[in-house]
């Protein structure tokens, strides 16, 4: 058929070896000696990843553009270019010692799907666009996650995002200006525009698909999350001379707080509560000084909004109760409600997985993703593929070429369905 034929035509053109090689090429940008990737939001490697994608898009003649928050768009036209586009993508930034797949897989799968749709000769009514969302990984560099997607959908004002500073005091605004200079040849895309839908491929980042021997997760939603910063203020003092009664030891108070919080957030045997203290900064961090200041973070996630409220609201009283001779300030830095993805996206993903004969499971996401904020702009959804031992946010992160390609095949068919013929 002139328009590329029936169901499966796009999936058949997904090239497993090409998709894998693109992962290998991207992993060189910020590659670590232990096989991981450190590509922090808007650093030189993150900018280079955008450049590489733009280079790959050039032979197709697809327009590459960038908006004011650094989101990159690669657009394959439709037959009706006034129609709202269907978007697919994820992020190129990683955790400080991250892996080769978190984020970048969703970008490369989207690009592979567009290439496959092109190779199949399919003309969709709506344009399809591959997207890189800026700074998905909150706290890896800048303490704001899903930043690019959040600004795109209007959740976060651009000025607020630009004012955020990294741990060295470099603002998002300054980093964006540097990215814009490096990518000055890319046309500016207006910030935020209507979309028909968004589909994001991602490794599962957990053990469920691998344990069950399944290839595809049809993601139905994302659990909620609350994040806090706790600042404990004591007083620096001499380690050898200061008696216990005169100490205002911020570290021992912080340890007592964490210990009490861990007991409260322990839901054995349910194991549904996710509670993490991932950043813990002691000042001045010198062996002979009673520490006068500690700052730590809390990352708390749960699928039930009522539990998020009940447990999360106890963080501040518990910290205050264990402050000892110190003062403590608890700041909630973000709160995201549990999200349910809306049709037609999950149903299009399920139809594609079933049609391709791939074993799949409808499942909720434990991790946060750009598909969460995108739900504010239009129906969104996700496709999960297994990752080795469920490991992610680690250099050991791994996935098989076959599973990555299977996810891209499901994506290609779902995009054709959503973009229409
Ligand atoms: O932390 C998260 O859930 C995501 O991977 N940024
Ligand atoms: Mn991540
Ligand atoms: Mn991710």
């Amino acid at each position: 058929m002139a328009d590329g034929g029936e169901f499966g035509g796009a999936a058949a053109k997904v090239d497993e070896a090409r998709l894998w090689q693109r992962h290998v090429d991207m992993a060189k940008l910020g590659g670590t000696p232990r096989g991981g990737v450190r590509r922090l939001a808007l650093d030189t490697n993150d900018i280079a990843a955008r450049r590489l994608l733009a280079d790959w898009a050039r032979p197709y003649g697809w327009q590459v553009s960038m908006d004011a928050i650094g989101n990159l768009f690669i657009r394959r036209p439709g037959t009706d270019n006034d129609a709202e586009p269907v978007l697919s993508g994820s992020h190129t930034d990683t955790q400080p010692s991250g892996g080769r797949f978190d984020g970048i897989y969703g970008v490369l799968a989207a690009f592979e799907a567009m290439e496959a749709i092109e190779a199949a000769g399919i003309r969709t009514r709506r344009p399809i666009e591959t997207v890189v969302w800026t700074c998905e990984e909150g706290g890896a560099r800048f303490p704001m996650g899903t930043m690019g997607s959040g600004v795109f959908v209007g959740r976060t004002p651009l000025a607020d995002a630009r004012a955020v500073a990294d741990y060295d005091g470099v603002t998002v605004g300054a980093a964006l200006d540097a990215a814009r200079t490096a990518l000055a040849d890319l046309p500016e895309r207006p910030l935020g525009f209507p979309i028909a839908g968004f589909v994001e491929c991602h490794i599962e980042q957990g053990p469920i698909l691998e344990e069950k021997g399944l290839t595809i997760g049809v993601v139905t939603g994302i659990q909620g999350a609350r994040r806090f910063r706790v600042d404990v203020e004591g007083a620096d003092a001499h380690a050898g001379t200061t008696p216990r009664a005169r100490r205002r030891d911020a570290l021992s108070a912080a340890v007592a707080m964490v210990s009490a919080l861990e007991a409260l957030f322990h839901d054995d045997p349910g194991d549904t509560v996710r509670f993490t203290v991932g950043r813990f900064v002691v000042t001045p961090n010198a062996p002979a000084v009673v520490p006068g200041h500690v700052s730590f973070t809390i990352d708390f996630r749960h699928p039930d909004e009522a539990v998020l409220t009940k447990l999360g609201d106890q963080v501040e009283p518990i910290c205050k109760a264990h402050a000892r001779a110190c003062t403590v300030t608890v700041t909630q830095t973000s709160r995201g409600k549990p999200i349910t993805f809306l049709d037609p996206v999950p149903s299009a993903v399920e139809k594609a997985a079933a049609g391709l004969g791939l074993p799949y499971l409808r499942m909720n996401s434990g991790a946060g993703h750009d598909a969460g904020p995108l739900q504010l702009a239009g129906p969104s959804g996700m496709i999960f593929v297994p990752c080795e031992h469920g490991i992610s946010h680690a250099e050991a992160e791994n996935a098989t070429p076959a599973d990555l390609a299977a996810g891209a095949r499901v994506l290609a068919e779902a995009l054709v369905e959503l973009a229409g013929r």
Side-chain angles (χ1 to χ4, degrees):
M1 284 170 69
D3 76 345
E6 324 222 316
F7 178 87
K13 295 292 184 184
V14 164
D15 184 332
E16 179 181 313
R18 175 175 61 188
L19 179 59
W20 182 256
Q21 187 58 46
R22 292 209 194 283
H23 282 85
V24 171
D25 293 341
M26 278 289 181
K28 292 175 187 152
L29 301 174
T32 62
R34 293 200 299 180
V37 177
R38 177 188 175 88
R39 193 167 51 229
L40 300 182
L42 298 172
D43 73 4
T44 52
N45 287 309
D46 198 30
I47 293 169
R50 284 169 174 70
R51 171 62 67 201
L52 190 53
L53 281 164
D55 289 348
W56 287 338
R58 192 173 306 116
Y60 292 100
W62 293 333
Q63 191 190 51
V64 184
S65 59
M66 200 164 80
D67 69 12
I69 190 68
N71 298 322
L72 184 97
F73 302 87
I74 303 173
R75 180 177 169 102
R76 180 178 188 265
T79 54
D80 176 1
N81 286 309
D82 293 328
E84 293 156 348
V86 178
L87 271 47
S88 180
S90 190
H91 56 100
T92 50
D93 63 318
T94 71
Q95 289 292 327
S97 50
R100 295 171 294 156
F101 304 96
D102 177 5
I104 195 66
Y105 169 53
V107 175
L108 297 179
F111 192 72
E112 179 65 38
M114 292 208 325
E115 290 182 291
I117 293 166
E118 182 77 10
I122 295 171
R123 301 177 68 206
T124 58
R125 183 175 79 77
R126 297 182 181 280
I128 299 174
E129 304 195 26
T130 293
V131 191
V132 172
W133 301 113
T134 297
C135 189
E136 193 275 347
E137 300 285 14
R141 178 180 180 188
F142 299 106
M144 180 188 279
T146 56
M147 182 191 288
S149 51
V151 171
F152 179 87
V153 301
R155 179 202 69 192
T156 307
L158 176 62
D160 290 5
R162 283 185 64 92
V164 172
D166 70 10
Y167 300 117
D168 297 325
V170 179
T171 62
V172 168
L176 277 172
D177 294 346
R180 185 24 99 190
T181 301
L183 300 165
D185 53 307
L186 300 184
E188 178 94 13
R189 188 80 177 266
L191 185 58
F193 48 83
I195 64 166
F198 175 69
V199 197
E200 178 172 4
C201 276
H202 211 284
I203 56 166
E204 181 204 332
Q205 305 184 278
I208 297 168
L209 292 175
E210 186 184 69
E211 268 172 20
K212 293 184 185 294
L214 301 171
T215 310
I216 298 295
V218 177
V219 187
T220 51
I222 301 179
Q223 71 175 342
R226 295 180 74 176
R227 298 197 178 90
F228 301 86
R229 194 186 66 240
V230 182
D231 287 289
V232 188
E233 196 69 49
D236 292 2
H238 196 292
T241 58
T242 315
R244 260 204 307 274
R246 288 175 179 262
R247 288 180 182 228
R248 297 179 59 219
D249 184 333
L251 178 55
S252 58
V255 167
M257 291 172 200
V258 172
S259 191
L261 289 166
E262 288 216 307
L264 175 75
F265 283 77
H266 191 86
D267 67 334
D268 198 41
D271 197 13
T272 309
V273 170
R274 297 284 176 262
F275 172 83
T276 307
V277 174
R279 184 175 163 84
F280 200 95
V281 182
V282 182
T283 309
N285 213 19
V289 183
V290 175
H293 188 87
V294 167
S295 178
F296 67 92
T297 57
I298 293 167
D299 179 308
F300 164 42
R301 312 195 197 194
H302 199 278
D304 184 342
E305 178 66 11
V307 177
L308 285 166
T309 298
K310 184 164 174 265
L311 284 182
D313 286 357
Q314 292 182 60
V315 168
E316 184 167 9
I318 287 198
C319 289
K320 291 216 148 109
H322 292 82
R324 299 182 176 169
C326 302
T327 55
V328 60
T329 313
V330 178
T331 311
Q332 181 169 280
T333 51
S334 70
R335 179 168 186 160
K337 287 185 186 304
I339 286 163
T340 303
F341 290 138
L342 300 176
D343 273 338
V345 178
S347 60
V349 171
E350 181 165 13
K351 186 174 158 195
L356 293 170
L358 294 165
Y360 70 89
L361 176 74
R362 290 175 73 89
M363 63 190 297
N364 203 38
S365 173
H369 300 284
D370 294 303
L374 258 294
Q375 185 84 311
L376 296 172
S380 69
M382 298 188 71
I383 299 164
F384 277 174
V385 297
C387 58
E388 195 174 284
H389 308 313
I391 294 169
S392 185
H393 282 190
E395 291 170 293
E397 194 174 83
N398 201 13
T400 68
D403 286 341
L404 298 173
R409 288 190 188 100
V410 173
L411 176 65
E413 292 302 326
L415 288 175
V416 169
E417 166 93 9
L418 293 166
R421 301 206 190 205

